[in-house]
Amino acid sequence: MTIRNRISGQFTLIVASILIGFSLLIYLVSATYRREEFYERLKSKARTTVRFLVEVNEVDQDLLRIIDRNTLTAMIDEKVLILDDNNKLVYSSVDDYPVRYKPDLLDAVRREREIETTNGDNELVGILYEANGKRLVVLASAYDRFGQSKLENLYLTLVWGLLGGIGLTIGLGFFFAGQSLQPIGHINRQVQTITARNLRQRLDEGPRQDEIDQLAVNFNAVLQRLEQAFEQQRSFVSHASHELRTPLAALKSEIQLGLRRPLSAERHTEILQNLLSDTDRLIALSNSLLLLARTLENLEAVTMTSVRLDDVFFAAQEELLTAHPRYAVSFQYDQVPETETDMVALGNESLLVRVVLNLLDNACKYAADQRASVRIGKNAQQVWLSVTDAGIGLSTDEQKHIFEPFYRAPGAIKFGGFGIGLAVCQRIMEPHRGRISVESEPGIGSTFTMLLPRS
Ligand code: ADP
């Protein structure tokens, strides 16, 4: 079912329910009013007749019958019967009327003094009249032709009005739903033309006022992010293949060199050593790429716990010094922790160790003295760990790019590395709602600071 049909269907259902409700109410109120009014007329007729008969001596039954039939207010099929306590007919407004009523009707009148009921199509009232020691039951019945025909008229008017109203509601609902949904159709047609190849395309955002314009704005924002992600992916693949090609090309030329004969034993050893170091580089690169892929894989679903930043540091330091025994790392607190929970952040310990290890490794790698000094501190909202070195440093321009995958500052080329570590670190910061800031000066050194919200 299309949204257009659903909206117009629901709209019609609501309006039809309201119309039907109102019509029913009007009809029922009118019908009740007619009935009550007619019963009142019957009662007053019954009272007048019995009073005439009992209280006015000059009036005999025949005269009363003549008066009854000729009053202006006479009703259709009007009958008045008066019965005494022994259920004997004392007066009947019609001569040839076969008196038909249920005996328990008379008992009911005597019991309740006044009843309102129906007799076939006619309305009937019964009243108990007591005066001068007499107890008479007066039954008056008549057919309310005028009231019934007015009610019938009202019924037809309401039915036709209802049908017309519902028909009009369906038409208008369908028309206006179509009008309101037109921009969605427009967006739909535009979206259909967007493929992975033309992610640059954007939707018309209109005057940005209603929900549909907002949808287009949000969709465009998603497209923008998708385009960026695609772009990153593309540049990652091209960088990775470039990085792989260089050592592979070196390997190939070393092998070709080794195949040339005759070669001295020393030359052979030298070639094999080059082969070994190029292979090592390839292995290191594949490891870095694998690490990048694994880290980025389920980054959004990592489990977070309360993690002490000093524990993170000690774990990273141990791993670093095992791999590079010549590196040296000094450590101090900005403020000595007063409680166990002082330097605690909410995070994933093994990912945070990876970040600190990378910062320590870079600091020692890019500094001639292979030393890094670490400080840990906190304020009301954050805990931080900063790694300072007296290494090659970075210009302001270089600092802007160091978190891009595969970027390496020109001064770093002579050191080992692939430009992947900091990109991974920055991605790890995202689920932690933390960040890495850098202060650096070429030739003087750098300070990389990891900031995390306190747990
Ligand atoms: P890698 O160190 O393997 O090249 P990273 O992603 O860790 O990759 O770092 C990216 C770049 O940032 C490095 O190539 C280097 O140019 C620069 N860099 C990172 N840390 C430092 C540092 N402590 N001192 C100077 N430059 C650094």
Side-chain angles (χ1 to χ4, degrees):
M1 195 189 219
T2 61
I3 295 186
R4 183 185 197 178
N5 287 347
R6 203 161 52 225
I7 291 179
S8 54
Q10 284 167 345
F11 181 59
T12 307
L13 205 71
I14 293 168
V15 177
S17 314
I18 295 172
L19 283 180
I20 290 173
F22 262 115
S23 307
L24 269 177
L25 190 73
I26 291 171
Y27 185 80
L28 289 177
V29 168
S30 306
T32 313
Y33 178 76
R34 180 208 64 77
R35 204 173 44 241
E36 278 171 3
E37 194 227 33
F38 197 66
Y39 278 136
E40 276 318 306
R41 282 174 65 193
L42 281 176
K43 278 181 207 163
S44 100
K45 179 75 201 171
R47 278 191 207 102
T48 320
T49 306
V50 75
R51 265 193 222 120
F52 261 124
L53 191 73
V54 177
E55 291 168 19
V56 186
N57 291 332
E58 291 78 13
V59 178
D60 68 1
Q61 293 210 4
D62 293 332
L63 182 59
L64 190 55
R65 237 174 254 136
I66 292 166
I67 295 170
D68 261 349
R69 271 176 224 152
N70 293 291
T71 44
L72 272 175
T73 52
M75 293 168 272
I76 308 295
D77 201 11
E78 177 186 304
K79 287 153 206 154
V80 182
L81 306 181
I82 301 177
L83 301 105
D84 66 10
D85 250 354
N86 305 319
N87 292 354
K88 205 169 127 274
L89 190 65
V90 177
Y91 167 76
S92 165
S93 64
V94 278
D95 312 316
D96 53 351
Y97 180 68
V99 185
R100 256 188 270 118
Y101 51 85
K102 293 186 204 124
D104 49 351
L105 174 71
L106 301 179
D107 294 338
V109 176
R110 287 187 189 106
R111 203 172 47 244
E112 285 166 37
R113 307 192 75 83
E114 203 171 283
I115 62 164
E116 295 170 350
T117 177
T118 52
N119 184 15
D121 281 347
N122 291 5
E123 256 107 12
L124 184 150
V125 297
I127 58 170
L128 183 68
Y129 177 83
E130 283 174 311
N132 310 334
K134 285 184 183 169
R135 251 163 65 96
L136 297 170
V137 171
V138 189
L139 301 178
S141 79
Y143 177 64
D144 184 12
R145 193 168 71 191
F146 184 60
Q148 292 289 8
S149 100
K150 265 199 340 195
L151 207 59
E152 213 161 285
N153 241 325
L154 179 71
Y155 175 80
L156 285 176
T157 313
L158 287 175
V159 167
W160 284 114
L162 250 180
L163 291 179
I166 292 173
L168 205 67
T169 312
I170 294 176
L172 288 178
F174 198 68
F175 174 73
F176 284 117
Q179 288 266 308
S180 321
L181 293 173
Q182 217 171 20
I184 292 194
H186 182 58
I187 287 187
N188 243 336
R189 283 189 292 280
Q190 285 186 313
V191 170
Q192 273 163 2
T193 62
I194 296 174
T195 61
R197 252 173 237 99
N198 65 347
L199 279 177
R200 290 235 163 103
Q201 194 172 318
R202 296 287 180 267
L203 306 180
D204 296 341
E205 292 181 353
R208 292 164 166 253
Q209 269 163 359
D210 59 19
E211 290 85 345
I212 294 174
D213 289 350
Q214 205 48 50
L215 178 74
V217 171
N218 291 339
F219 196 87
N220 281 345
V222 172
L223 276 179
Q224 169 102 26
R225 287 201 292 274
L226 262 182
E227 191 192 344
Q228 264 171 12
F230 257 71
E231 201 41 61
Q232 276 173 10
Q233 192 92 356
R234 223 174 294 172
S235 101
F236 177 82
V237 172
S238 91
H239 273 103
S241 41
H242 178 78
E243 291 292 328
L244 284 167
R245 218 173 39 202
T246 317
L248 280 174
L251 274 182
K252 188 179 170 190
S253 59
E254 300 285 352
I255 293 168
Q256 280 169 338
L257 215 64
L259 288 175
R260 275 196 214 141
R261 283 160 214 243
L263 280 179
S264 65
E266 294 80 47
R267 188 71 184 112
H268 247 136
T269 315
E270 191 189 326
I271 288 173
L272 282 177
Q273 256 155 7
N274 285 345
L275 276 177
L276 185 65
S277 84
D278 282 337
T279 315
D280 278 345
R281 189 172 155 74
L282 260 179
I283 291 170
L285 175 60
S286 344
N287 285 343
S288 296
L289 288 176
L290 203 65
L291 174 74
L292 177 69
R294 282 212 189 117
T295 314
L296 303 188
E297 222 166 45
N298 286 321
L299 210 47
E300 302 309 325
V302 288
T303 43
M304 302 280 195
T305 51
S306 290
V307 183
R308 282 187 62 146
L309 218 51
D310 34 12
D311 287 348
V312 169
F313 163 71
F314 291 124
Q317 184 191 35
E318 194 183 330
E319 209 175 318
L320 178 82
L321 296 182
T322 312
H324 305 278
R326 272 179 300 157
Y327 286 177
V329 182
S330 65
F331 166 75
Q332 80 180 88
Y333 289 107
D334 269 358
Q335 312 95 357
V336 179
E338 285 153 18
T339 64
E340 280 281 303
T341 55
D342 236 12
M343 298 291 175
V344 172
L346 190 67
N348 180 287
E349 186 159 1
S350 69
L351 288 178
L352 291 179
V353 169
R354 193 129 305 290
V355 174
V356 175
L357 180 64
N358 197 82
L359 298 182
L360 291 176
D361 188 29
N362 280 353
C364 298
K365 179 168 74 180
Y366 294 114
D369 60 0
Q370 302 194 322
R371 296 186 71 85
S373 51
V374 173
R375 297 174 81 93
I376 290 184
K378 54 140 197 189
N379 62 22
Q381 291 90 32
Q382 289 174 312
V383 283
W384 62 77
L385 179 150
S386 67
V387 182
T388 306
D389 64 64
I392 55 171
L394 291 156
S395 70
T396 326
D397 199 42
E398 289 165 347
Q399 288 170 32
K400 286 185 199 142
H401 300 287
I402 53 174
F403 294 102
E404 292 166 12
F406 299 105
Y407 175 82
R408 306 201 73 211
I413 303 296
K414 57 178 182 291
F415 301 87
F418 306 104
I420 294 174
L422 283 182
V424 175
C425 293
Q426 199 183 39
R427 281 289 283 120
I428 291 176
M429 283 296 102
E430 286 169 18
H432 287 87
R433 289 180 293 116
R435 67 192 172 88
I436 296 170
S437 71
V438 54
E439 284 167 57
S440 183
E441 232 177 286
I444 306 262
S446 317
T447 297
F448 282 78
T449 306
M450 174 179 81
L451 291 127
L452 292 166
R454 283 181 75 166
S455 125

